[in-house]
Amino acid sequence: MKRYERFADEISELIRSGVLAPGERVPSVRQASRHYGISPSTVFQAYYLLENQGLIVARPRSGYFVREQAQRLLNEPEMNPCVQETADIAVSELVFSVLGSLQDSDTVPFGSAFPGPELFPLPRLARSMTKGLRALPADAIIADMTAGDPDLRRQIALRYRLTGVHLTPQELVITNGAMEALNLGFQCVTSPGDLVAIESPAFYASLQVLERLKLRAVEIPVHPREGIDLEALAESLARHPIKACWFMSHLQNPLGASLSDAKKQALYALLKQHQVPLIEDDVYAELYFGTTPPTPVKHYDDEGLVIHCGSFSKCLAPGYRVGWVAGGRYAESISRLKLMTTISPSVPAQVAIADYLQHGGYDRHLRRLRYALETQQGHMLDAAARYFPAGTRATRPSGGYFLWFEFPRQVDSLRLFHMAREQGISIAPGPIFSATQGYRHCARLSYGHPWTPRSEEAMALLGRLLASF
Amino acid sequence: MKRYERFADEISELIRSGVLAPGERVPSVRQASRHYGISPSTVFQAYYLLENQGLIVARPRSGYFVREQAQRLLNEPEMNPCVQETADIAVSELVFSVLGSLQDSDTVPFGSAFPGPELFPLPRLARSMTKGLRALPADAIIADMTAGDPDLRRQIALRYRLTGVHLTPQELVITNGAMEALNLGFQCVTSPGDLVAIESPAFYASLQVLERLKLRAVEIPVHPREGIDLEALAESLARHPIKACWFMSHLQNPLGASLSDAKKQALYALLKQHQVPLIEDDVYAELYFGTTPPTPVKHYDDEGLVIHCGSFSKCLAPGYRVGWVAGGRYAESISRLKLMTTISPSVPAQVAIADYLQHGGYDRHLRRLRYALETQQGHMLDAAARYFPAGTRATRPSGGYFLWFEFPRQVDSLRLFHMAREQGISIAPGPIFSATQGYRHCARLSYGHPWTPRSEEAMALLGRLLASF
């Protein structure tokens, strides 16, 4: 990270944490330069970046100020307080129709599940592929199928260390993206008809997995910033025979909520008390905007109860389909289940990523990616504040690439979805994030693609559609 | 194919079909040269190849003769006549212990499920990977996930044409190898508790899939050369509510049996009458030893009842994990099920194979591979005839890389498996090929690896172990 980026980060933390209040003056260029021991031009560069991110504004002849809505350009959505139990989940039709809307490459991809491809080091990965395949002994192409590429498993185990998790490469099973990891984890600890706890709103794919495996769901409310409601969970665990939980501890999809360390610890204690395994979906782990990597619930796991699922699909190599699962006490069963379903993910893709992790400059890429996403978040929030109707609420997550919007009650996001689609804009309407198809006046919008004048126009158009309700 | 190879193929067909009987003289070099309009040196090259394959022998000053046991060095195994129904399949423990024995790269891999890696054009594929990735537009790495690489689907549809099957690329779903294709197909047409028809002996992975999906099996006897017993199948279909069939119409694993065209047609008529879908596992389709590609049952399918599964793992690119399914009327459901479980196979692997199919010389590679396998089959049969005890029976399949041995009754192949493993040799014991763990005196041996003096020693050692029973 460059010096000006580091400095911008510090100021951004001060704003996000409320130390610098909205409307307050940020240190002048001279003060900052003296206080932090950096050159005035570095301070200028940092302030320029923060301005782009929508966090500060320049006032002529007065200096820079924290933007009035810097902390929350729009109000925060409210938490849906109800715990709901659902027997028959049938969300797939709706999800497939939404996914179908993304197929047209001309669409403004606010509904997309992936960041823009231009944000990934694809040419560098291709070089790693060439190099990795050249170095691969012929018999490894067959031998590596069972357990996964040994270099890759070592590299992943190393990255876990950075987040405070100590595990051996043997606990890791390489999978076809996190989706397979999550499927295997769930199959391992449940049988058809079982009850499992999920978040509300929940990532739609988790609903599809439940539907496919014929599981019943208890939906636990998620606070838009602080994450899962632990009291509601404790009550549900006491009342129902819950067999497993599927939670995202960081940058929950769609809300972007992250659990504090204390809350993670309390969550683990609760699950341990009930001996209920946690499937921890942590695919956005690398996309935090702060300066320190978050610690997963897995860190507190002293009984092998947490099945931690990760992936390179959202942070490095979409389309390569390489994910993994650290399965705790279930690792062996998961590995066998994988052999019976897909045998192995593609060996060349594993080899390429293993080489890249060693030589490609992964951390440099991640820093760039995080900056790009943070800047894009600023643009989208800014546009939403300008174009969306009064009463609209929005999250402002500290990472990832999704915003969750709560529109005025009269908005029907399914109708909005169809209207927007007609105009060449995709969105992810609220009902796909719930087994009971709630959240009708909500939607998830992605800022994962570079911001262009077209994005701006699309936001304005969405604003006009919203006003028509 | 070179001229001498083409000529050798013709003679080999004459021998296999019995037109040239064991002990009979093959045309003299002069006759053959005149009759076929080829040079004497071409004839010599062909006869040298046939000698290597164990089909003919040279007698000094008399010319070349069809080897006494050329058609069948050992007697053909007998067909197990019983249809068996099994409620609880639990074969996995055994299968995993056998697969575990293959992990040590020092083992003589007679138990292996893959041919030797040196038989595949891995460096050429790596070049196709580099080229393919360079040409791939950035957004394709995300867009291609849903449906699969369009070039690859076109190329696969083209290859179907060669076998008389006309289908559109839209019917094809690219999968993580055939294993995922078979899993998806089965999940699509069955529910837990359903009864399905499989072969006996059956490929162990099909038993694992049934175990995982909690299906019950009717095992239909397979003739070692002519394939599935249609009468037994007809009876079972009339008597039981069978929901689906999983059959291999060519080079059935483990027997190597292939259905004649007439039998395939009759099989399809039977299934159509009962409206029972066929999951046609056709992963060895490209490994036929003759001159014409076999036609799958799918060719006769006028109602979309056949779910045809193929793969590049056994014939081109092991470890790349690229297979496909032509799902007939189930194509759309299969595609959705895939999106819910693994989303997509690795895009780079698809791109590499698509480029290779267009520019890599696939047919040339396949001809070389088939010759290598045919030659290796000759060596293994020859060694078995020399080292294995009297009364041993063996198949002589017209393709693939597996022999099925039926040993004298007192042999316990599970004990043989453990004894051989101690000596650094892997085999696939009979009981892993049956839900009822029958075939205790049988084993599958692979000749998929280049034949070496070590292979010869291993066969001699197996012979001694067999004699000890």
Side-chain angles (χ1 to χ4, degrees):
Chain A
M1 189 158 20
K2 296 205 173 101
R3 189 65 195 89
Y4 81 94
E5 293 173 332
R6 261 210 316 281
F7 173 59
D9 244 20
E10 288 177 46
I11 298 295
S12 143
E13 281 281 304
L14 292 177
I15 296 173
R16 282 180 197 289
S17 61
V19 172
L20 278 171
E24 201 171 327
R25 198 172 188 275
V26 299
S28 73
V29 174
R30 188 189 300 183
Q31 281 172 329
S33 159
R34 206 171 323 137
H35 183 77
Y36 292 91
I38 51 182
S39 75
S41 85
T42 303
V43 179
F44 265 121
Q45 275 185 292
Y47 284 0
Y48 184 71
L49 180 65
L50 291 167
E51 212 183 342
N52 263 333
Q53 291 173 354
L55 289 173
I56 63 174
V57 282
R59 297 213 189 113
R61 272 181 302 272
S62 321
Y64 287 93
F65 293 81
V66 178
R67 205 174 159 135
E68 280 304 332
Q69 297 114 330
Q71 260 191 301
R72 190 142 295 105
L73 290 159
L74 299 169
N75 279 328
E76 190 171 75
E78 279 164 4
M79 183 164 78
N80 167 23
C82 314
V83 176
Q84 267 173 320
E85 199 187 324
T86 320
D88 285 313
I89 302 174
V91 73
S92 279
E93 278 306 319
L94 193 53
V95 171
F96 285 121
S97 113
V98 172
L99 295 180
S101 76
L102 296 167
Q103 306 259 349
D104 185 356
S105 63
D106 270 355
T107 303
V108 178
F110 291 158
S112 176
F114 290 91
E118 52 281 83
L119 298 178
F120 297 104
L122 298 174
R124 181 63 188 78
L125 270 169
R127 287 211 305 282
S128 274
M129 174 73 88
T130 305
K131 213 177 116 211
L133 282 180
R134 201 174 296 142
L136 189 73
D139 56 351
I141 199 90
I142 290 169
D144 284 359
M145 274 195 273
T146 321
D149 183 80
D151 281 338
L152 180 61
R153 290 164 94 201
R154 260 195 306 278
Q155 292 292 326
I156 294 173
L158 270 174
R159 288 201 78 81
Y160 268 104
R161 297 257 160 145
L162 300 178
T163 68
V165 178
H166 288 249
L167 48 74
T168 64
Q170 285 70 45
E171 191 188 331
L172 293 167
V173 177
I174 310 295
T175 56
N176 288 285
M179 185 61 89
E180 184 179 38
L182 295 160
N183 265 282
L184 294 176
F186 248 115
Q187 272 176 76
C188 227
V189 295
T190 65
S191 302
D194 280 354
L195 201 60
V196 298
I198 58 169
E199 295 154 328
S200 179
F203 173 37
Y204 51 77
S206 72
L207 300 172
Q208 290 183 299
V209 170
L210 264 55
E211 181 179 339
R212 194 175 74 75
L213 298 176
K214 299 189 169 60
L215 298 169
R216 291 173 306 133
V218 183
E219 296 187 63
I220 311 291
V222 178
H223 183 277
R225 196 164 13 86
E226 295 169 3
I228 193 105
D229 180 342
L230 277 191
E231 258 175 64
L233 177 64
E235 219 167 279
S236 293
L237 283 168
R239 194 180 303 164
H240 301 293
I242 289 172
K243 287 290 161 53
C245 299
W246 172 330
F247 296 151
M248 304 184 76
S249 46
H250 308 118
L251 302 171
Q252 193 261 356
N253 182 358
L255 291 179
S258 295
L259 303 183
S260 67
D261 285 346
K263 216 167 158 183
K264 279 181 259 191
Q265 212 164 346
L267 169 62
Y268 180 69
L270 188 60
L271 295 176
K272 183 172 165 180
Q273 178 199 331
H274 290 272
Q275 285 294 302
V276 169
L278 169 66
I279 289 151
E280 187 175 17
D281 175 357
D282 207 7
V283 295
Y284 304 107
E286 297 283 15
L287 301 183
Y288 56 89
F289 292 164
T291 42
T292 33
T295 302
V297 178
K298 177 90 181 161
H299 169 68
Y300 303 101
D301 182 13
D302 52 6
E303 289 199 350
L305 210 54
V306 178
I307 298 172
H308 187 263
C309 302
S311 167
F312 294 106
S313 300
K314 311 296 175 70
C315 53
L316 175 64
Y320 277 58
R321 307 301 308 136
V322 177
W324 68 88
V325 44
R329 64 168 85 153
Y330 311 100
E332 174 69 16
S333 321
I334 289 174
S335 163
R336 288 181 163 201
L337 203 51
K338 189 198 68 167
L339 282 175
M340 288 196 271
T341 44
T342 61
I343 301 180
S344 157
S346 188
V347 174
Q350 295 182 55
V351 162
I353 293 179
D355 180 88
Y356 178 87
L357 292 182
Q358 271 182 289
H359 311 293
Y362 188 32
D363 285 302
R364 198 170 55 237
H365 153 68
L366 284 174
R367 280 193 302 268
R368 273 199 212 116
L369 176 61
R370 288 177 200 131
Y371 263 93
L373 294 179
E374 190 164 6
T375 306
Q376 289 161 206
Q377 186 193 75
H379 286 303
M380 183 175 263
L381 277 171
D382 193 57
R386 274 181 287 123
Y387 300 122
F388 287 5
T392 298
R393 292 162 176 269
T395 54
R396 189 185 182 108
S398 57
Y401 46 92
F402 294 128
L403 294 182
W404 178 255
F405 287 96
E406 193 183 299
F407 302 118
R409 282 272 155 196
Q410 70 272 22
V411 171
D412 175 346
S413 68
L414 285 178
R415 271 186 56 213
L416 179 68
F417 162 72
H418 289 293
M419 289 154 79
R421 187 177 183 173
E422 295 269 296
Q423 310 278 341
I425 304 166
S426 75
I427 65 165
I432 67 172
F433 298 96
S434 154
T436 46
Q437 310 204 355
Y439 304 107
R440 272 195 101 82
H441 63 305
C442 301
R444 186 194 75 183
L445 266 62
S446 160
Y447 53 83
H449 288 250
W451 201 256
T452 65
R454 226 183 136 214
S455 326
E456 196 71 19
E457 281 162 36
M459 289 295 283
L461 182 57
L462 282 179
R464 287 196 296 277
L465 294 177
L466 284 164
S468 76
F469 280 94
Chain B
M1 191 157 23
K2 296 205 174 104
R3 189 64 194 91
Y4 81 93
E5 291 173 333
R6 259 207 322 277
F7 174 60
D9 245 19
E10 289 178 44
I11 298 293
S12 143
E13 279 284 301
L14 293 176
I15 295 173
R16 281 179 199 288
S17 60
V19 172
L20 278 170
E24 200 171 326
R25 197 170 189 275
V26 299
S28 72
V29 173
R30 187 189 301 182
Q31 281 172 328
S33 159
R34 208 174 319 138
H35 184 77
Y36 290 90
I38 50 181
S39 75
S41 85
T42 302
V43 179
F44 266 121
Q45 276 185 289
Y47 284 0
Y48 183 72
L49 179 66
L50 291 168
E51 213 183 339
N52 262 335
Q53 291 173 354
L55 289 173
I56 63 174
V57 282
R59 299 217 188 106
R61 270 181 304 274
S62 321
Y64 288 92
F65 293 80
V66 177
R67 203 173 161 139
E68 280 302 332
Q69 298 115 326
Q71 261 191 299
R72 188 144 294 109
L73 291 157
L74 300 167
N75 280 328
E76 190 171 76
E78 280 166 2
M79 183 165 76
N80 167 24
C82 314
V83 176
Q84 266 171 323
E85 201 188 321
T86 320
D88 285 313
I89 302 174
V91 73
S92 278
E93 277 306 320
L94 192 54
V95 171
F96 285 121
S97 113
V98 172
L99 295 180
S101 75
L102 296 166
Q103 306 259 351
D104 185 357
S105 64
D106 269 355
T107 303
V108 179
F110 291 158
S112 175
F114 289 91
E118 52 284 80
L119 299 177
F120 297 104
L122 297 175
R124 180 62 188 80
L125 269 170
R127 287 210 304 282
S128 274
M129 174 74 88
T130 305
K131 213 176 116 210
L133 282 180
R134 201 173 298 143
L136 190 73
D139 57 350
I141 199 91
I142 290 170
D144 284 0
M145 274 196 273
T146 322
D149 183 82
D151 281 339
L152 179 61
R153 291 165 94 201
R154 260 196 305 276
Q155 292 292 326
I156 295 172
L158 270 174
R159 288 201 78 82
Y160 268 103
R161 297 257 159 144
L162 300 177
T163 67
V165 178
H166 288 249
L167 48 75
T168 63
Q170 285 70 44
E171 192 187 331
L172 293 167
V173 177
I174 309 297
T175 57
N176 288 286
M179 184 61 88
E180 184 179 37
L182 295 160
N183 264 283
L184 294 176
F186 248 115
Q187 272 178 75
C188 227
V189 296
T190 65
S191 303
D194 280 354
L195 200 62
V196 299
I198 57 168
E199 296 155 327
S200 179
F203 173 36
Y204 50 77
S206 72
L207 299 172
Q208 292 182 297
V209 170
L210 265 54
E211 183 179 335
R212 194 175 73 75
L213 298 177
K214 301 191 166 61
L215 298 168
R216 292 173 305 134
V218 183
E219 296 188 62
I220 310 291
V222 178
H223 183 279
R225 196 163 14 85
E226 294 169 3
I228 193 105
D229 181 341
L230 278 191
E231 259 176 62
L233 176 64
E235 221 168 277
S236 293
L237 283 169
R239 194 181 303 164
H240 301 293
I242 289 172
K243 288 288 161 55
C245 298
W246 172 329
F247 297 149
M248 305 183 76
S249 46
H250 308 118
L251 303 171
Q252 193 262 355
N253 182 357
L255 291 178
S258 296
L259 302 183
S260 67
D261 285 346
K263 217 168 155 181
K264 279 180 258 190
Q265 211 164 350
L267 169 62
Y268 180 68
L270 188 60
L271 294 176
K272 183 172 165 180
Q273 180 199 329
H274 291 272
Q275 285 295 302
V276 170
L278 168 66
I279 290 151
E280 187 175 17
D281 175 359
D282 207 6
V283 295
Y284 304 108
E286 297 282 15
L287 301 183
Y288 57 89
F289 291 164
T291 42
T292 33
T295 301
V297 178
K298 178 87 180 165
H299 169 69
Y300 302 101
D301 182 13
D302 52 7
E303 290 199 350
L305 211 53
V306 178
I307 298 171
H308 187 265
C309 302
S311 167
F312 293 107
S313 299
K314 311 296 173 71
C315 52
L316 175 64
Y320 277 58
R321 308 301 308 138
V322 176
W324 68 88
V325 45
R329 64 167 84 154
Y330 310 100
E332 173 70 15
S333 321
I334 289 173
S335 163
R336 289 182 163 201
L337 204 51
K338 190 198 68 168
L339 281 177
M340 287 194 272
T341 44
T342 62
I343 301 182
S344 158
S346 187
V347 173
Q350 295 182 55
V351 162
I353 294 179
D355 179 88
Y356 178 87
L357 292 182
Q358 271 183 288
H359 310 293
Y362 188 32
D363 285 302
R364 197 170 56 238
H365 152 69
L366 283 174
R367 281 192 302 267
R368 274 200 211 113
L369 176 61
R370 289 178 199 129
Y371 265 93
L373 294 178
E374 190 163 7
T375 307
Q376 289 160 207
Q377 186 194 75
H379 286 302
M380 182 175 263
L381 278 170
D382 193 58
R386 274 180 288 123
Y387 300 121
F388 287 4
T392 298
R393 292 163 177 268
T395 53
R396 189 184 183 108
S398 57
Y401 46 92
F402 295 128
L403 294 182
W404 179 256
F405 287 95
E406 192 183 300
F407 302 119
R409 283 272 154 195
Q410 69 272 20
V411 171
D412 176 345
S413 68
L414 285 178
R415 274 187 53 213
L416 179 68
F417 162 72
H418 289 292
M419 291 154 78
R421 187 176 182 171
E422 294 269 295
Q423 309 279 340
I425 304 167
S426 75
I427 66 165
I432 67 171
F433 299 96
S434 153
T436 47
Q437 310 205 356
Y439 303 107
R440 270 197 101 82
H441 63 305
C442 301
R444 186 194 75 182
L445 266 63
S446 160
Y447 53 83
H449 287 248
W451 201 256
T452 64
R454 223 180 138 216
S455 326
E456 196 72 18
E457 282 162 34
M459 289 295 282
L461 181 58
L462 281 179
R464 288 196 297 278
L465 294 176
L466 283 164
S468 76
F469 279 92

